[in-house]
Amino acid sequence: MTNTLSLLTRKDLRIVFMGTPEFAVASLDALLNAGFAVVGVVTTPDKPAGRGMKPTTSAVKKYALEKGLTVLQPEKLRDPAFLAALNALQAHVQIVVAFRMLPEIVWNMPPIGTINVHGSLLPQYRGAAPINWAIINGETITGVTTFKLQHAIDTGNILLQKSFPIGEDETAGEVHDRMKIIGASLLVETLQSLLDGSLEEKDQSAFPGPDQLKHAPKLFTEDCRINWTETATQIHNRIRGLSPFPGALTMLDGKILKLFKSSKEQITHQHTPGAVFTDGKTYLKFACKDGFIHLLDLQLEGKKRMPIIEFLRGYRLQAS
């Protein structure tokens, strides 16, 4: 295969791109700008959304259509009509960025296989929410990995990795926006190394064993609830790790309060965890195990998201 690839240029390498959200658009854009031949794009079917339940298209589809690319939107990835259409594109390689789990008949179709761009330094944080869990767990460094798909999710041979720091107060949304650019650049580098014959696959078994691995499963409502008996650092990390989506949750005056940004004040006190304090003008803080969490950006049930000063301007905390 290396000998065959050495005869190909970027314009010769036939690529099918698979992705759905805005995060994936950066990688697709980078491939086109780098001169690679994207012969087809696979994304999710249009879905009804909003009050009018009008069909909405994925961010990847919108971009692909703007660029005049062939778009496939299968309901089922094993559908014979889809498989025939995918095979007809005669791709050398498939690229997956933030898409669905693929059956072997799909990921094993092209001669080079399928390359995935994953938002962590594998083998750490395998799963659906790597950015969120890295921040929730207080990591100070994260990164992007390109790897070859195989049977078990996120376990294929590693191709390239790029690490970068996470700021102490940085949210998942902010890391996401940096990561999509870094990941797009790494993808281009991966494909060029593939063409150059300089790419070396590395088995993930050579990395830390399962007892040392941290996972990144799908987030559920229970993961979003704040436990005020935890430390200020743990709570601050959960808030920023869930911001802006799905958002950390607590209760205020019997209503759900979604938290997007916070700061921590570590101080010894005798207050009950979860107790609320405010001057009614500039701050709203909750007591926790070793201090207070100051809320900076929030959204009360039935209201819009707003900074704390604007929130307090129109809200009066009920007397306990």
Side-chain angles (χ1 to χ4, degrees), residues 72-131:
L72 302 178
Q73 295 179 272
E75 288 283 352
K76 297 181 179 180
L77 295 176
R78 298 179 187 274
D79 179 68
F82 164 66
L83 294 175
L86 184 63
N87 186 60
L89 293 173
Q90 292 296 295
H92 293 104
V93 63
Q94 293 172 160
I95 304 297
V96 176
V97 184
F99 192 55
R100 301 152 63 181
M101 189 171 179
L102 303 181
E104 182 176 0
I105 195 171
V106 172
W107 61 255
N108 203 29
M109 183 178 290
I112 297 174
T114 298
I115 295 174
N116 185 218
V117 178
H118 186 74
S120 79
L121 296 173
L122 290 174
Q124 298 293 352
Y125 295 105
R126 294 170 177 161
I131 297 175

Side-chain angles (χ1 to χ4, degrees), residues 219-239:
L219 292 163
F220 293 94
T221 302
E222 192 60 36
D223 300 310
C224 299
R225 293 194 178 99
I226 296 297
N227 177 1
W228 295 108
T229 65
E230 292 185 330
T231 66
T233 295
Q234 288 173 318
I235 296 171
H236 178 61
N237 289 345
R238 187 168 294 271
I239 291 171

Side-chain angles (χ1 to χ4, degrees), residues 237-250:
N237 289 345
R238 187 168 294 271
I239 291 171
R240 63 196 186 92
L242 296 169
S243 177
F245 183 83
L249 304 173
T250 192

